[in-house]
Amino acid sequence: DGGITQSPKYLFRKEGQNVTLSCEQNLNHDAMYWYRQDPGQGLRLIYYSQIVNDFQKGDIAEGYSVSREKKESFPLTVTSAQKNPTAFYLCASSIGVLQGGYTFGSGTRLTVV
Amino acid sequence: AQTVTQSQPEMSVQEAETVTLSCTYDTSESDYYLFWYKQPPSRQMILVIRQEAYKQQNATENRFSVNFQKAAKSFSLKISDSQLGDAAMYFCAYRKSGTASKLTFGTGTRLQVTL
């Protein structure tokens, strides 16, 4: 079945360490996105990518980095520069940025201690 | 910048009854999409319904329907014959069309379904 796989489901890291969240899709979608979800704030866009080797900053890109070397993969690195990294992270994809709704992964809960 | 407002942090409905979740948005665009997403306790985001702004007819999907008022910039979701499985967070979202753009979400409404 086609879908988006995020791994791991739960991730714990010490403060000051970089951590990379995985997002893989087999839907042949062109566009991929990373959102952060905090209680009471809905979903906020971190980065998005329309095609391979191209990506744009979203609303809250500071402290994060991404790469898009393959169509299927869009990993997100949470760097030590991110002041409040503990959150739920959702990856999504769509056929194209011009298209309608997104397909979401099941998310990664990152806890930094 | 586009904003999406959901003014009801929590709502409750009895099983088999009807409930309406509110959403307003702010945009200067004339062509755009609106969505309702459901996030159950599993936290998987599920697309419930979608509305194109150029369509006057309100979208429906089985027990889910919307009341789209373009002039008022209002996009409410009506759930009929509520079921226990409808209990979830519901997010309203907006995206302008015709150019590379992001999906902007509201802060969500938590829906409880009681027996």
Side-chain angles (χ1 to χ4, degrees), chain B residues 46-62:
Chain B
I46 302 164
L47 178 63
V48 174
I49 200 164
R50 157 185 163 161
Q51 174 81 42
E52 290 89 343
Y54 65 86
K55 290 186 177 178
Q56 293 185 339
Q57 186 173 7
N58 289 324
T60 62
E61 287 288 343
N62 301 313

Side-chain angles (χ1 to χ4, degrees), chain A residues 68-79:
Chain A
R68 186 87 186 276
E69 297 177 3
K70 298 186 300 182
K71 188 176 185 178
E72 301 79 16
S73 179
F74 191 42
L76 172 74
T77 296
V78 184
T79 74

